[in-house]
Amino acid sequence: GGGGDMPGNVVTRTIRQRIRAIRRCYERELGRNPNLEGKVTVGFTVMESGTVAHAQVVENTSQSPVLGNCVARTLGRMRFHPGPEGGSVDFTYPFVFAPQR
């Protein structure tokens, strides 16, 4: 990233607070494919303002591009507070999906 500093727990906390939006991505696709499961890992940059830039899928074992794109778009709309100090910071975050049985 841009050499900034940001604790990972800020990222984790913010994502957990907004996990319902990520879950909706999965539930929408699960309606089309009841066996859909896998891991979607998203790489993204948190800017000093707390906004997200460059959110993109870096791994998708679900074989569903629609799920991956939805997760990346949703994460790209998040704001992190506080943002990093001293520049932007790159992160990757895995989301694991499996139908409840």
Side-chain angles (χ1 to χ4, degrees):
D5 184 39
M6 181 176 187
N9 66 333
V10 171
V11 172
T12 300
R13 182 179 66 239
T14 301
I15 290 173
R16 285 184 179 161
Q17 289 171 346
R18 293 170 177 82
I19 199 69
R20 284 190 188 114
I22 299 291
R23 198 173 291 132
R24 278 193 297 272
C25 291
Y26 178 62
E27 290 169 353
R28 212 174 3 252
E29 288 308 300
L30 193 60
R32 294 184 183 112
N33 176 0
N35 297 315
L36 181 64
E37 61 184 7
K39 179 170 71 170
V40 174
T41 302
V42 178
F44 58 100
T45 303
V46 179
M47 308 305 286
E48 284 185 273
S49 64
T51 60
V52 174
H54 314 296
Q56 60 187 4
V57 176
V58 296
E59 179 186 25
N60 185 352
T61 65
S62 77
Q63 305 305 312
S64 172
V66 174
L67 174 60
N69 290 336
C70 182
V71 171
R73 274 194 320 272
T74 301
L75 201 145
R77 290 191 300 264
M78 292 183 184
R79 286 189 60 95
F80 295 87
H81 184 75
E85 294 181 13
S88 60
V89 180
D90 293 332
F91 289 96
T92 57
Y93 199 93
F95 297 90
V96 179
F97 300 99
Q100 293 186 356
R101 303 186 196 280

